[in-house]
Amino acid sequence: MLLGLAHIIDRPGESVSFSTSVDLSDLRYGNSYPVSEPVKAEGVVRNTAGVLMMKGSITTCIHGVCDRCARNFDREVSFPIDVVLVTELTNEENEDEWVFPLEGDSADLDDIVRTVFVLNLDSKLLCKEDCKGLCCRCGKNLNDGPCNCQKELDPRFAALQQLLEK
Ligand SMILES: [Zn+2]
Ligand SMILES: [Zn+2]
């Protein structure tokens, strides 16, 4: 979706709000396509002393496979939109991923939402931030509780056990 900004480009203090939904179901992540639901984005573009600032939020529900524990999960994610829109990219600004060029008098919301979303998504897909993963020894999902390997691996415990067995 293109968001027309002609009426605020030269008017400091003016703003225009937006609300859109973007399809990112083609976004590949490893071997999966976790963004199967529409990605909602809303916010406002404000002309702040001549600079077009876009602020808002992106939300969706990811259906993925955890990179750490290999479990299927659904996870609500929400990322902030905080970018600057410019009529022309200079070389300097081009290196800044948070600056986007306008398409004529409009902002290409699909492109901006896609880029901000990808930049915010972690390099690993996890079912939750502190996923404990699988035990490398017995393969138990440690999110369900500790396994018995930990005790055996602890040399102090092993020594104690030897004493007890004697
Ligand atoms: Zn996990
Ligand atoms: Zn284990």
Side-chain angles (χ1 to χ4, degrees):
M1 176 186 147
L2 287 176
L3 178 68
L5 299 173
H7 54 297
I8 72 163
I9 284 180
D10 295 318
R11 292 188 180 174
E14 293 289 311
S15 63
V16 57
S17 58
F18 62 90
S19 177
T20 187
S21 168
V22 181
D23 178 14
L24 298 183
S25 57
D26 63 331
L27 205 65
R28 188 174 165 151
Y29 220 85
N31 291 318
S32 67
Y33 297 87
V35 198
S36 50
E37 289 189 20
V39 175
K40 296 194 182 78
E42 55 185 26
V44 64
V45 181
R46 188 178 302 277
N47 184 327
T48 306
V51 179
L52 295 175
M53 315 271 279
M54 176 185 273
K55 291 188 192 295
S57 63
I58 299 174
T59 52
T60 192
C61 184
I62 287 179
H63 302 278
V65 178
C66 181
D67 278 337
R68 207 175 277 165
C69 71
R71 187 172 273 178
N72 284 304
F73 69 91
D74 301 329
R75 186 175 168 190
E76 297 281 344
V77 293
S78 177
F79 301 132
I81 302 175
D82 192 355
V83 304
V84 173
L85 304 172
V86 293
T87 46
E88 218 175 324
L89 278 183
T90 66
N91 284 337
E92 203 177 312
E93 284 166 336
N94 211 358
E95 289 167 14
D96 188 342
E97 42 207 27
W98 305 105
V99 174
F100 292 84
L102 293 180
E103 300 278 332
D105 291 336
S106 304
D108 185 344
L109 288 180
D110 293 356
D111 181 52
I112 293 169
V113 170
R114 174 179 288 264
T115 305
V116 171
F117 188 86
V118 170
L119 289 173
N120 272 285
L121 208 57
D122 299 322
S123 57
K124 275 183 182 294
L125 273 188
L126 298 180
C127 59
K128 53 186 178 183
E129 296 283 348
D130 60 345
C131 170
K132 294 185 173 70
L134 303 176
C135 171
C136 58
R137 215 163 170 216
C138 70
K140 181 177 155 111
N141 189 327
L142 298 176
N143 296 307
D144 297 336
C147 61
N148 292 319
C149 304
Q150 205 58 42
K151 295 175 194 162
E152 295 169 29
L153 286 171
D154 188 331
R156 288 166 304 173
F157 193 86
L160 182 66
Q161 193 139 38
Q162 273 184 346
L163 283 175
L164 290 173
E165 279 168 7
K166 273 175 189 170

PDB file of all heavy atoms in Angstrom, residues 146-159:
ATOM      1  N   PRO A 146      14.034 -30.335  34.349  1.00  0.00           N
ATOM      2  CA  PRO A 146      15.392 -30.860  34.205  1.00  0.00           C
ATOM      3  C   PRO A 146      15.394 -32.363  33.952  1.00  0.00           C
ATOM      4  O   PRO A 146      14.468 -33.065  34.355  1.00  0.00           O
ATOM      5  CB  PRO A 146      16.032 -30.522  35.557  1.00  0.00           C
ATOM      6  CG  PRO A 146      14.887 -30.413  36.503  1.00  0.00           C
ATOM      7  CD  PRO A 146      13.717 -29.915  35.719  1.00  0.00           C
ATOM      8  N   CYS A 147      16.417 -32.827  33.272  1.00  0.00           N
ATOM      9  CA  CYS A 147      16.558 -34.261  33.048  1.00  0.00           C
ATOM     10  C   CYS A 147      17.520 -34.803  34.104  1.00  0.00           C
ATOM     11  O   CYS A 147      17.992 -34.065  34.955  1.00  0.00           O
ATOM     12  CB  CYS A 147      17.088 -34.533  31.648  1.00  0.00           C
ATOM     13  SG  CYS A 147      18.713 -33.805  31.370  1.00  0.00           S
ATOM     14  N   ASN A 148      17.850 -36.049  34.019  1.00  0.00           N
ATOM     15  CA  ASN A 148      18.711 -36.653  35.040  1.00  0.00           C
ATOM     16  C   ASN A 148      20.194 -36.561  34.715  1.00  0.00           C
ATOM     17  O   ASN A 148      21.032 -36.896  35.538  1.00  0.00           O
ATOM     18  CB  ASN A 148      18.326 -38.118  35.241  1.00  0.00           C
ATOM     19  CG  ASN A 148      16.947 -38.221  35.870  1.00  0.00           C
ATOM     20  OD1 ASN A 148      16.612 -37.460  36.775  1.00  0.00           O
ATOM     21  ND2 ASN A 148      16.141 -39.136  35.367  1.00  0.00           N
ATOM     22  N   CYS A 149      20.522 -36.095  33.505  1.00  0.00           N
ATOM     23  CA  CYS A 149      21.926 -36.071  33.079  1.00  0.00           C
ATOM     24  C   CYS A 149      22.766 -35.128  33.930  1.00  0.00           C
ATOM     25  O   CYS A 149      23.925 -35.385  34.188  1.00  0.00           O
ATOM     26  CB  CYS A 149      22.041 -35.628  31.630  1.00  0.00           C
ATOM     27  SG  CYS A 149      21.083 -36.641  30.508  1.00  0.00           S
ATOM     28  N   GLN A 150      22.180 -34.039  34.332  1.00  0.00           N
ATOM     29  CA  GLN A 150      22.930 -32.987  35.011  1.00  0.00           C
ATOM     30  C   GLN A 150      23.694 -33.542  36.216  1.00  0.00           C
ATOM     31  O   GLN A 150      24.855 -33.264  36.412  1.00  0.00           O
ATOM     32  CB  GLN A 150      21.982 -31.865  35.446  1.00  0.00           C
ATOM     33  CG  GLN A 150      22.661 -30.510  35.609  1.00  0.00           C
ATOM     34  CD  GLN A 150      23.342 -30.053  34.325  1.00  0.00           C
ATOM     35  OE1 GLN A 150      22.791 -30.201  33.247  1.00  0.00           O
ATOM     36  NE2 GLN A 150      24.541 -29.526  34.442  1.00  0.00           N
ATOM     37  N   LYS A 151      23.024 -34.386  36.979  1.00  0.00           N
ATOM     38  CA  LYS A 151      23.646 -34.953  38.172  1.00  0.00           C
ATOM     39  C   LYS A 151      24.839 -35.810  37.788  1.00  0.00           C
ATOM     40  O   LYS A 151      25.901 -35.724  38.380  1.00  0.00           O
ATOM     41  CB  LYS A 151      22.635 -35.811  38.927  1.00  0.00           C
ATOM     42  CG  LYS A 151      21.466 -35.036  39.484  1.00  0.00           C
ATOM     43  CD  LYS A 151      20.467 -36.014  40.109  1.00  0.00           C
ATOM     44  CE  LYS A 151      19.147 -35.319  40.361  1.00  0.00           C
ATOM     45  NZ  LYS A 151      18.077 -36.309  40.536  1.00  0.00           N
ATOM     46  N   GLU A 152      24.652 -36.637  36.788  1.00  0.00           N
ATOM     47  CA  GLU A 152      25.728 -37.544  36.384  1.00  0.00           C
ATOM     48  C   GLU A 152      26.933 -36.778  35.873  1.00  0.00           C
ATOM     49  O   GLU A 152      28.062 -37.209  36.020  1.00  0.00           O
ATOM     50  CB  GLU A 152      25.231 -38.480  35.282  1.00  0.00           C
ATOM     51  CG  GLU A 152      24.134 -39.420  35.751  1.00  0.00           C
ATOM     52  CD  GLU A 152      23.485 -40.123  34.577  1.00  0.00           C
ATOM     53  OE1 GLU A 152      24.175 -40.319  33.558  1.00  0.00           O
ATOM     54  OE2 GLU A 152      22.291 -40.452  34.670  1.00  0.00           O
ATOM     55  N   LEU A 153      26.668 -35.622  35.258  1.00  0.00           N
ATOM     56  CA  LEU A 153      27.756 -34.858  34.658  1.00  0.00           C
ATOM     57  C   LEU A 153      28.578 -34.116  35.707  1.00  0.00           C
ATOM     58  O   LEU A 153      29.714 -33.768  35.464  1.00  0.00           O
ATOM     59  CB  LEU A 153      27.190 -33.849  33.658  1.00  0.00           C
ATOM     60  CG  LEU A 153      26.701 -34.436  32.339  1.00  0.00           C
ATOM     61  CD1 LEU A 153      25.980 -33.380  31.532  1.00  0.00           C
ATOM     62  CD2 LEU A 153      27.865 -35.012  31.543  1.00  0.00           C
ATOM     63  N   ASP A 154      27.986 -33.871  36.859  1.00  0.00           N
ATOM     64  CA  ASP A 154      28.681 -33.109  37.883  1.00  0.00           C
ATOM     65  C   ASP A 154      29.705 -34.024  38.589  1.00  0.00           C
ATOM     66  O   ASP A 154      29.328 -34.986  39.257  1.00  0.00           O
ATOM     67  CB  ASP A 154      27.656 -32.587  38.898  1.00  0.00           C
ATOM     68  CG  ASP A 154      28.285 -31.618  39.872  1.00  0.00           C
ATOM     69  OD1 ASP A 154      29.499 -31.764  40.132  1.00  0.00           O
ATOM     70  OD2 ASP A 154      27.568 -30.728  40.365  1.00  0.00           O
ATOM     71  N   PRO A 155      31.010 -33.756  38.409  1.00  0.00           N
ATOM     72  CA  PRO A 155      32.038 -34.642  38.964  1.00  0.00           C
ATOM     73  C   PRO A 155      31.959 -34.747  40.488  1.00  0.00           C
ATOM     74  O   PRO A 155      32.224 -35.809  41.061  1.00  0.00           O
ATOM     75  CB  PRO A 155      33.348 -34.008  38.523  1.00  0.00           C
ATOM     76  CG  PRO A 155      33.019 -32.608  38.149  1.00  0.00           C
ATOM     77  CD  PRO A 155      31.586 -32.617  37.709  1.00  0.00           C
ATOM     78  N   ARG A 156      31.574 -33.635  41.138  1.00  0.00           N
ATOM     79  CA  ARG A 156      31.484 -33.692  42.601  1.00  0.00           C
ATOM     80  C   ARG A 156      30.414 -34.697  43.019  1.00  0.00           C
ATOM     81  O   ARG A 156      30.589 -35.481  43.937  1.00  0.00           O
ATOM     82  CB  ARG A 156      31.147 -32.314  43.181  1.00  0.00           C
ATOM     83  CG  ARG A 156      32.300 -31.340  43.102  1.00  0.00           C
ATOM     84  CD  ARG A 156      31.807 -29.942  43.374  1.00  0.00           C
ATOM     85  NE  ARG A 156      30.720 -29.598  42.450  1.00  0.00           N
ATOM     86  CZ  ARG A 156      30.001 -28.507  42.537  1.00  0.00           C
ATOM     87  NH1 ARG A 156      30.212 -27.646  43.500  1.00  0.00           N
ATOM     88  NH2 ARG A 156      29.067 -28.254  41.650  1.00  0.00           N
ATOM     89  N   PHE A 157      29.327 -34.664  42.256  1.00  0.00           N
ATOM     90  CA  PHE A 157      28.236 -35.573  42.586  1.00  0.00           C
ATOM     91  C   PHE A 157      28.654 -37.020  42.329  1.00  0.00           C
ATOM     92  O   PHE A 157      28.351 -37.917  43.108  1.00  0.00           O
ATOM     93  CB  PHE A 157      26.997 -35.216  41.760  1.00  0.00           C
ATOM     94  CG  PHE A 157      25.758 -35.880  42.257  1.00  0.00           C
ATOM     95  CD1 PHE A 157      25.002 -35.295  43.267  1.00  0.00           C
ATOM     96  CD2 PHE A 157      25.343 -37.095  41.744  1.00  0.00           C
ATOM     97  CE1 PHE A 157      23.862 -35.924  43.741  1.00  0.00           C
ATOM     98  CE2 PHE A 157      24.210 -37.733  42.211  1.00  0.00           C
ATOM     99  CZ  PHE A 157      23.461 -37.138  43.215  1.00  0.00           C
ATOM    100  N   ALA A 158      29.390 -37.211  41.246  1.00  0.00           N
ATOM    101  CA  ALA A 158      29.856 -38.555  40.907  1.00  0.00           C
ATOM    102  C   ALA A 158      30.757 -39.096  42.011  1.00  0.00           C
ATOM    103  O   ALA A 158      30.655 -40.264  42.413  1.00  0.00           O
ATOM    104  CB  ALA A 158      30.594 -38.519  39.574  1.00  0.00           C
ATOM    105  N   ALA A 159      31.641 -38.220  42.510  1.00  0.00           N
ATOM    106  CA  ALA A 159      32.554 -38.627  43.580  1.00  0.00           C
ATOM    107  C   ALA A 159      31.766 -38.994  44.833  1.00  0.00           C
ATOM    108  O   ALA A 159      32.034 -40.005  45.491  1.00  0.00           O
ATOM    109  CB  ALA A 159      33.529 -37.499  43.886  1.00  0.00           C
TER     110      ALA A 159
END
